[in-house]
Amino acid sequence: MNEQTDKLFIARLGDMVSGCEKNGCPVFSRFLDERQCAQSELWCRANAGGLMYRLWGGFPDARRKMLAVYPDYCEEYILEEFPMKCLTFTYRREDDLTHRDFLGSLMGQKLKREVVGDIVIDEGIAQVFVTETAAGAILGSVSKIGRVGVKVSDTRLFELEVRQEFRDMSGTVASLRLDCIVSLAAKLSREKAAVLIRSERVEVNHFPVSSVSHELSEGDIISVRGCGRFVLRGIDGSTRKGRIHINLQKYI
């Protein structure tokens, strides 16, 4: 997001709170990406007043989620109110469809990205969370993903195992500064890592960080544009020369 887009997004959050206060009923966003989810969490914590808020994407580990702002009396049933559906696509097990195939086909229906949540794929089956409005359009028009024939249903509960694959990396760094860890993760010199950071091509926990001396902590997620996404999984002591052992995992 650029600065103008950020301002518009924050304004939308303010509109959600105002709408909920005025009408006394829940207000929902469309699907938000991970950065928007993090922004929503921070903003609502400071600005929701006496209202409740929750992010939900259909299952606990979803990356793309809707935001709900609601009065406290809705807490017991709010998850049932989120305006989303789980669509189940079935097809031949030998047809190897990918996340990109599904997203491309759905965008080919002239749907906006914000109406599509997480896409989870297994052999011969995929489950996709979409807004209720988008679900009606997809059920009535999608019979193929790419060149593969599919059957689509909205009657099955979410049942797939969400698997995220990582490649383990380890090494030593002079410190836990961002430039040191980006250098190791992206296999770049510290000077080139610093250029990426200062040009705001590096994010920590979904927010851009332009300070090369920003200190990282265990569990932080580092995204380096053009190089991938990494998790600082472990900090395991120091060498005799004072360098720090760290373990990283790269999303694959």
Side-chain angles (χ1 to χ4, degrees):
M1 287 189 186
N2 56 37
E3 184 176 349
Q4 182 61 27
T5 305
D6 281 345
K7 289 181 179 178
L8 290 172
F9 180 67
I10 295 302
R12 284 166 54 195
L13 296 179
D15 289 343
M16 290 180 65
V17 168
S18 297
C20 183
E21 289 175 335
K22 180 179 179 179
N23 299 315
C25 58
V27 178
F28 300 90
S29 72
R30 292 189 172 186
F31 285 100
L32 309 178
D33 62 29
E34 289 177 284
R35 183 182 175 192
Q36 291 171 325
C37 288
Q39 283 183 303
S40 299
E41 183 77 35
L42 290 173
W43 189 90
C44 288
R45 194 179 301 161
N47 298 285
L51 298 176
M52 309 285 284
Y53 64 92
R54 179 168 294 193
L55 290 156
W56 179 244
F59 59 97
D61 295 323
R63 288 189 182 180
R64 296 178 62 81
K65 302 173 184 177
M66 290 182 176
L67 171 69
V69 178
Y70 55 95
D72 57 4
Y73 69 82
C74 300
E75 176 68 16
E76 289 187 10
Y77 59 85
I78 192 63
L79 291 185
E80 301 169 11
E81 297 295 309
F82 275 83
M84 68 176 72
K85 281 187 175 290
C86 176
L87 298 184
T88 301
F89 296 76
T90 53
Y91 47 95
R92 298 185 309 171
R93 295 174 70 91
E94 56 266 33
D95 289 321
D96 187 19
L97 292 175
T98 66
H99 185 283
R100 180 177 295 181
D101 293 326
F102 277 92
L103 187 58
S105 291
L106 295 178
M107 296 299 97
Q109 298 293 315
K110 298 183 179 180
L111 297 173
K112 293 183 177 181
R113 186 65 180 96
E114 62 190 15
V115 305
V116 181
D118 278 24
I119 300 170
V120 184
I121 299 173
D122 207 336
E123 292 183 357
I125 183 173
Q127 294 190 294
V128 184
F129 286 91
V130 298
T131 63
E132 290 179 338
T133 302
I138 293 167
L139 287 165
S141 62
V142 175
S143 59
K144 287 187 175 182
I145 297 295
R147 297 181 178 180
V148 175
V150 297
K151 294 181 179 179
V152 192
S153 167
D154 64 352
T155 59
R156 291 170 68 167
L157 297 176
F158 182 69
E159 61 192 67
L160 298 184
E161 180 182 356
V162 181
R163 295 189 295 268
Q164 175 62 59
E165 296 184 2
F166 297 95
R167 184 170 74 243
D168 290 324
M169 306 172 63
S170 63
T172 64
V173 291
S175 75
L176 296 178
R177 284 170 42 127
L178 184 57
D179 59 343
C180 295
I181 293 180
V182 169
S183 173
L184 176 64
K187 299 180 180 178
L188 299 170
S189 67
R190 281 184 66 179
E191 291 76 16
K192 289 183 178 179
V195 170
L196 288 177
I197 295 165
R198 292 192 179 105
S199 60
E200 296 192 346
R201 297 176 65 187
V202 176
E203 293 185 352
V204 178
N205 298 326
H206 316 301
F207 290 98
V209 175
S210 58
S211 170
V212 297
S213 60
H214 178 84
E215 290 274 329
L216 294 178
S217 302
E218 194 168 310
D220 281 347
I221 299 172
I222 309 103
S223 299
V224 184
R225 194 178 307 170
C227 299
R229 177 186 291 192
F230 308 84
V231 182
L232 179 54
R233 189 59 71 191
I235 301 169
D236 299 324
S238 304
T239 68
R240 292 181 180 178
K241 295 184 178 181
R243 292 180 63 85
I244 303 169
H245 285 290
I246 65 169
N247 297 311
L248 296 168
Q249 288 183 320
K250 181 177 182 178
Y251 287 77
I252 57 175

